[in-house]
Amino acid sequence: MRKFLTIALSFVMLFGLVTPTFAHPGALDELGGHFRRADCTYLLHHPTSLARKAKNMQELIALIKKYNSNSKCTRGLTPSKVNLEGFTFSHSQSHTPSTHTKPATKPTTKKVALPLIKINSKHTVKVIRVVDGDTVEVRFSNGATAKVRLIGVNTPETVHPNKPVEKYGKEASNYTKKRLTNKTVTLEFDVQIKDKYGRLLAYVWIGKELYNETLVKEGYANVMTIPPNVKYQKRFVTAERAARQAKKGLWK
C-alpha cells in the first residue's frame, strides 16, 4: 500500500511539473516577454529598456518579431494577441491614427490704408491687374491697393454681372491689358476722388501720354462726362470726333 501511495504521489508531482512547463515556457526574450504556447498570445511581463523604446503597438510588434525566435507565433501576431499587462507607451501615441485634426488657420494680414489723396494731386502707382478696358487695379508705394476707374471715358462692358459682353468690349479690355499691365503710371485726380462703388477716379498718364484720351482716340471708348470731373473733357470730345471720322474701333 505504501509503495502504491509513493508511486501515486510521484505521478502527481511529475504531472504538476510538466503541465505548467507546457502552458508557460517561462524564458523571457530581450523585450521582457514571451509567447503563451496554448494560443500564441504574447505576454509582456517585465518590459525592458528595449521594449520601452516602442512608441505604439505597431513598433512593439515589430520589435517582438525581430527579437523573439518563435517564428510560428510571430508570423501571425496582431495587436489583439499582445497582452501589455499594464504597460503603457511612454509617448502616449495610439496605434490607431487620430482622425481629428485641427483645421489649418489662414494667416491674417492687415490691409494697408491708402495714402492721403487730395484734389488735383498726382500719385505714382503700379498697375497690377486690368479689370476691363476702363478699370484697373493698382498698388501704391506704401503697398496699398485699389481699383481705379478712368475718368471721362467708357469702354464696352465685359465683366458686368447683369450685362452680356458688349461689342468691341474684349478688344478694349485686351488693349488696356497690353498697354498697362505691370506698368508704372501716374494717377492724376480731379475734384471727386471716388465713385459710388468706392473706386478711385483718375486720369492715367504713361509718361506724357494721357491714356484716357488714347482709348477714345483709338476707338476703344466713347466720351462719358460726369461732373465735377471735367478737367480734360474738351480733349476727349475732340478725340472722339477724330475717331468717328476715321471710323476706328467702335465707329467702324
Side-chain angles (χ1 to χ4, degrees):
M1 182 65 179
R2 182 180 297 175
K3 183 176 181 181
F4 173 77
L5 292 175
T6 301
I7 294 172
L9 180 61
S10 298
F11 180 80
V12 170
M13 290 180 64
L14 179 62
F15 182 81
L17 290 173
V18 171
T19 302
T21 303
F22 177 79
H24 195 294
L28 303 180
D29 60 19
E30 294 183 50
L31 303 176
H34 66 88
F35 282 102
R36 186 166 58 203
R37 291 180 181 175
D39 58 1
C40 274
T41 294
Y42 186 83
L43 307 173
L44 188 60
H45 289 310
H46 304 293
T48 64
S49 58
L50 181 60
R52 295 182 187 279
K53 289 182 179 180
K55 298 176 182 178
N56 51 49
M57 183 63 78
Q58 277 87 354
E59 291 188 9
L60 179 61
I61 289 176
L63 290 173
I64 295 171
K65 290 183 177 181
K66 181 177 180 180
Y67 291 100
N68 193 287
S69 60
N70 190 335
S71 59
K72 177 183 176 181
C73 292
T74 57
R75 190 180 303 115
L77 186 61
T78 61
S80 63
K81 283 288 187 178
V82 177
N83 187 341
L84 298 178
E85 296 191 356
F87 172 73
T88 56
F89 299 107
S90 59
H91 289 72
S92 301
Q93 294 184 6
S94 171
H95 62 276
T96 303
S98 174
T99 56
H100 300 286
T101 57
K102 292 183 178 180
T105 55
K106 294 182 179 179
T108 56
T109 54
K110 187 177 180 180
K111 187 175 182 180
V112 181
L114 290 173
L116 178 63
I117 300 174
K118 297 182 179 181
I119 294 174
N120 298 321
S121 64
K122 293 183 179 181
H123 293 262
T124 300
V125 300
K126 182 176 182 179
V127 178
I128 58 176
R129 184 170 73 96
V130 171
V131 179
D132 63 10
D134 54 29
T135 307
V136 298
E137 187 173 357
V138 302
R139 178 181 290 114
F140 287 81
S141 58
N142 70 340
T145 60
K147 284 185 179 180
V148 178
R149 176 65 165 80
L150 276 63
I151 295 174
V153 301
N154 184 53
T155 61
E157 293 290 349
T158 59
V159 294
H160 196 286
N162 300 320
K163 294 181 180 180
V165 175
E166 296 178 342
K167 178 183 177 182
Y168 220 66
K170 288 185 178 180
E171 289 82 353
S173 180
N174 290 337
Y175 181 72
T176 297
K177 287 179 181 178
K178 179 180 178 181
R179 294 296 313 277
L180 298 185
T181 301
N182 294 323
K183 296 291 181 63
T184 298
V185 300
T186 300
L187 299 183
E188 180 183 357
F189 294 91
D190 207 326
V191 178
Q192 184 179 338
I193 304 301
K194 292 184 178 182
D195 64 10
K196 63 180 180 180
Y197 303 109
R199 299 176 298 185
L200 296 176
L201 299 171
Y203 304 104
V204 175
W205 291 89
I206 307 173
K208 294 182 178 181
E209 175 192 353
L210 179 54
Y211 185 69
N212 307 50
E213 182 181 32
T214 299
L215 280 175
V216 179
K217 187 186 298 183
E218 297 301 323
Y220 291 107
N222 60 278
V223 176
M224 186 177 70
T225 303
I226 301 178
N229 294 344
V230 296
K231 185 173 183 178
Y232 297 107
Q233 179 188 12
K234 291 182 180 180
R235 288 179 60 167
F236 297 160
V237 171
T238 300
E240 182 178 301
R241 187 180 299 117
R244 284 175 178 269
Q245 291 175 351
K247 295 183 179 180
K248 288 185 176 181
L250 290 169
W251 317 115
K252 289 181 180 178

